[in-house]
Amino acid sequence: MKTFCFIGLFGLLMATTCRAQQVIYANLKELAQQKGDTLTLLKIEKRTKNQLMLTGGGDYRISIDENNGMSRYLKSRCYAVLADSNLYINCKKVRYKRFSFGSWYAPAIWVNGKIYFAAQPVGSIAASTLTPEKAARLGGEVGEALASAGLVHARVYYEITPETGVVEFVGKEKMTELLKEQPQLVESYLSEGNEGAEVTSKYLLQLRQKE
């Protein structure tokens, strides 16, 4: 087990068994190997529209009440969290090309040995037809990403390859490749004419059911 500077507080939170399992992963390697640290008391909050508008970033804030040290670790250093069978990826730890997703956590799922998470369109994706013509740019931790006000609530999926950490956009080309063994699903997906997370998630879940 890793040793943190706040080991005393951390030790109080460790649990070998609990009704609702909560596991933190320090890095991608730990997540790929499913070897993390089991905790209790994690607080998972859906961020408000105002919070997303002001600072961008992921949809979920994960912290521990009255433990500032662990909360800072969760925000800045932790790679992923598994809570009640739901996986969350720390946006601060991943990039699409050179573009940042900001802070906090995005919901994710495993499909066929790869990780798929839903986050804001950034870079060339944000500059595509998803971007309203007159949308203003947001500041904050999104950095160089083109996260306009019109895209604060827009979500698309990205794929993480566990062996390399490379992040790819799951758009029409990628989704068609993933579905190539199932022509009917390819036809259905293309008929949707939409690369947004709501549509993509339907087909990712169908792929997972067939694993």
Side-chain angles (χ1 to χ4, degrees):
M1 183 186 301
K2 301 172 293 301
T3 301
F4 304 129
C5 61
F6 37 84
I7 189 66
L9 291 173
F10 180 73
L12 295 175
L13 296 168
M14 294 302 296
T16 55
T17 59
C18 58
R19 185 171 299 175
Q21 188 179 44
Q22 299 176 326
V23 183
I24 63 172
Y25 301 96
N27 50 55
L28 179 57
K29 182 178 180 180
E30 284 193 359
L31 177 58
Q33 296 177 347
Q34 299 292 286
K35 294 181 179 179
D37 290 316
T38 303
L39 304 181
T40 57
L41 307 180
L42 289 179
K43 183 178 181 180
I44 300 174
E45 304 170 277
K46 184 74 181 291
R47 299 178 66 218
T48 67
K49 292 181 179 180
N50 286 340
Q51 289 170 333
L52 289 167
M53 184 70 72
L54 288 172
T55 63
D59 290 330
Y60 292 88
R61 181 179 185 269
I62 302 179
S63 60
I64 297 179
D65 285 341
E66 300 181 1
N67 190 332
N68 292 333
M70 273 301 297
S71 292
R72 285 194 298 271
Y73 172 80
L74 287 165
K75 180 179 180 181
S76 301
R77 295 173 57 194
C78 183
Y79 188 89
V81 170
L82 181 68
D84 304 338
S85 300
N86 297 312
L87 181 64
Y88 303 90
I89 296 294
N90 190 345
C91 289
K92 197 175 183 70
K93 307 298 287 186
V94 291
R95 284 178 175 268
Y96 173 65
K97 299 181 179 178
R98 63 187 181 90
F99 296 99
S100 168
F101 294 100
S103 295
W104 304 119
Y105 285 78
I109 57 173
W110 281 96
V111 180
N112 292 332
K114 294 192 176 181
I115 304 159
Y116 296 86
F117 69 96
Q120 286 183 349
V122 296
S124 59
I125 304 164
S128 71
T129 54
L130 290 171
T131 307
E133 291 182 3
K134 296 182 180 180
R137 291 182 58 159
L138 278 179
E141 294 185 72
V142 177
E144 294 180 279
L146 299 177
S148 68
L151 292 176
V152 167
H153 306 300
R155 296 292 179 270
V156 294
Y157 267 91
Y158 298 87
E159 176 191 85
I160 303 174
T161 301
E163 295 79 9
T164 63
V166 172
V167 175
E168 295 185 52
F169 169 54
V170 184
K172 182 171 65 176
E173 183 176 341
K174 169 64 72 172
M175 202 68 232
T176 301
E177 178 186 340
L178 292 172
L179 297 170
K180 64 183 179 182
E181 302 298 328
Q182 301 175 64
Q184 290 183 331
L185 287 183
V186 172
E187 183 178 355
S188 175
Y189 170 75
L190 292 176
S191 70
E192 303 264 12
N194 189 320
E195 296 178 317
E198 185 175 350
V199 169
T200 302
S201 65
K202 292 192 303 182
Y203 295 90
L204 288 175
L205 290 173
Q206 289 188 68
L207 284 173
R208 188 167 69 171
Q209 291 171 0
K210 295 179 181 297
E211 291 180 354

